[in-house]
Amino acid sequence: MRNESNVTLEQDSFVTAHGKCWQFDDSYKARIVLVDGTEIPFESAGTIRRSPLKTGLGKGESVSYSDFEGYGTLAFETRILLNDTTAFVDCTFVPADMAGLSVKEVCWPGPLKADEAGSYAVLNTMQGQLLPTDWPQQTGEKIPFDGQMGSEAAYMPWWGEITPEGGYLCYVRQSWDSAYTIAHPAGGPTRVSVRHLPSLGKMGYARTVTYCFVPGGSDYVTLCRLYREIADEEGRPRTLREKAAQNPNVEKLIGCCVMHVEGKTHVSEGSAYYNKENPEKNDRLVPFDHWTKRVRQLKEMGVDQLYLHLDGWGQPGYDNQHPDYLPPCKEAGGWEGLKELSDTMQELGYMFGVHDQYRDYYLDAPTYDPDNAAMSADGTLFELARWAGGPQNYICASLAPDYVRRNFEQLFAHGIHLEGTYLDVFTCNELDECINPHHPMTRRECIDARNQCFHYLTAHHVAPSSEEVNDWAVGAQVFCHWAPYIGNCAIPVPLYNLVYHDCVIIPWMMPAGRWGIPEGTTGFMHALLNGGMGYMDEYLDGAELEENIRQWQVIRELQRHVALEKMVNHEFLSDDRSIQRSTFSDGTQVTVNFKDNTYQIKYPA
């Protein structure tokens, strides 16, 4: 990444890069926001000192802020450094003295302006979207998890903007303690900015965002390639080929269809989903042997690769009493019925995995102990009563690996043959922290703990899965439940696949109208465009089942070619964006027409 772009820092703007002058939005107020909502603008400092900055890596400017009226010894510094080697620009917030302040977030630097006609933002909200600067709808006011990175709000910790004259990628270095804001009123313009979050209630270390500039003629694919180059240099990704060398079930997964099935459902009275008017609807049971018969039927119909994901297999029922889920549901067949299903899957050459959960911590779990719950920085325990199991806290993630080991050792001891397992919400929900002195944990340590759960499974040749995907998990996670698009997004575009297609396998719900599938399109077409897996509907029959199998066979053939390959390009081939093409590193090209649901696959000679 040698600096050949003549990027220069400017006194009256930000930088000039590739001939384009970039400016921050001067209406944005850099500020510290306290927990009580009080804002401390940077400009309210009694003393502001600017000084040149020069290091062995580059040069820039340092600005120190102090003497804030009413805030004692509050002092901090901002540093902007242009790296002479890479031409990347680091913007670093340094908390010199913030003791005693209850900080909610630090908002700096502000958003860059990219308001020229034809400009658009590149946003990693879930699978990804492009947001033209003049997009007619208001966008960004409801980002999942309040924009916290490391969740589905941002599968990857960067955003960018592209203009006709050039573009930039903004990489948030300490993403685990970061969030971002998208502001786009109807008709524009777009403003995207970072928010630095405290760790365990304190702003105790420096925070950096890095701007990487690209020349005119660049696009969103350029930014994806640039970020993958950065990630590779940092050593974070592990490809599916690398994962398959450690776990043979990774390769076996390629070409499978996914069938997500249910066992026992029980909705407790404390749950937000409890049906008071029809209490009989709060319980449902599908015995294990129902699925044993179903998979034999599919085998007879020519389905020779299948991954079965079993929900509600524990005695309490789906989303109940975690992490104390064992033994298997007696009414569904108990240990004997679960083993028969497991043995049948192995006999048929299929893959078997179960749903499990090591974040939601239910108060009625037999071994529940509030001392094991994640404690917020203010000393409280998070409380929720939404899901089927009713009132809950969160398990401190530092304890999750031990719970995983405790439960899976019992499954292995009973002869349950697992080749994949789904650890719910890890790659979807926000990162946790815990201030309990018995098991203190930062969000960065939460990442390590969640990945440790994945590594335990891999060590036992169980392919680890989770709800969605995330940059922090790309070294350990093999596949997911889905990685779709955020609802009401501007222009859906597969940014995550453009960066990490060769690292994680992503399934797609096949029909139209499913959650995360853009309006007017089908999951089948997205599965083809992305070279991903497809779902097999667990209750279809007759002609509908035959059509589902036909679609899976097309997906299987494609996936066998491209699952281990990078997605090297994506392009829109029509003005209405209904015709799109993806290209993979082996030369395979997939063209889909979302309007008439046709496709063309060209394999290399």
Side-chain angles (χ1 to χ4, degrees), residues 2 35 75 114 141 162 179 207 209 216 236 252 254 269 294 320 336 338 354 369 374 424 462-463 475 479 576 586:
R2 184 69 188 170
V35 171
E141 67 276 14
I162 295 292
R207 313 301 182 85
V209 297
R236 287 183 286 109
K252 186 176 179 181
I254 294 170
E269 290 191 47
R294 176 67 166 177
N320 274 250
E336 183 178 341
L338 186 63
V354 294
D369 182 346
D424 204 358
V462 179
F479 67 121
D576 65 357
D586 70 336

Side-chain angles (χ1 to χ4, degrees), residues 123-263:
L123 303 171
N124 283 295
T125 38
M126 300 177 65
Q127 183 64 230
Q129 62 174 321
L130 307 181
L131 178 58
T133 191
D134 59 354
W135 189 252
Q137 282 83 41
Q138 181 178 358
T139 304
E141 67 276 14
K142 293 182 179 180
I143 310 178
F145 304 107
D146 194 29
Q148 187 167 321
M149 292 185 167
S151 73
E152 69 175 13
Y155 283 171
M156 296 182 286
W158 62 271
W159 70 84
E161 293 188 89
I162 295 292
T163 78
E165 296 178 300
Y168 73 88
L169 181 152
C170 181
Y171 171 26
V172 181
R173 295 286 182 168
Q174 292 78 30
S175 57
W176 46 88
D177 286 331
S178 303
Y180 73 118
T181 296
I182 303 169
H184 179 91
T190 304
R191 297 290 183 263
V192 189
S193 57
V194 70
R195 294 162 19 231
H196 304 295
L197 308 178
S199 176
L200 299 177
K202 299 177 181 179
M203 290 296 298
Y205 67 93
R207 313 301 182 85
T208 299
V209 297
T210 299
Y211 290 90
C212 318
F213 296 92
V214 295
S218 301
D219 61 9
Y220 59 95
V221 178
T222 310
L223 298 188
C224 288
R225 290 173 181 168
L226 174 58
Y227 183 71
R228 177 59 185 264
E229 183 178 351
I230 293 170
D232 283 343
E233 288 187 352
E234 294 181 357
R236 287 183 286 109
R238 288 182 69 233
T239 66
L240 289 166
R241 283 189 173 91
E242 292 174 301
K243 294 169 184 174
Q246 185 179 6
N247 182 353
N249 283 318
V250 174
E251 194 165 356
K252 186 176 179 181
L253 194 64
I254 294 170
C256 282
C257 54
V258 181
M259 192 165 73
H260 187 152
V261 304
E262 60 181 328

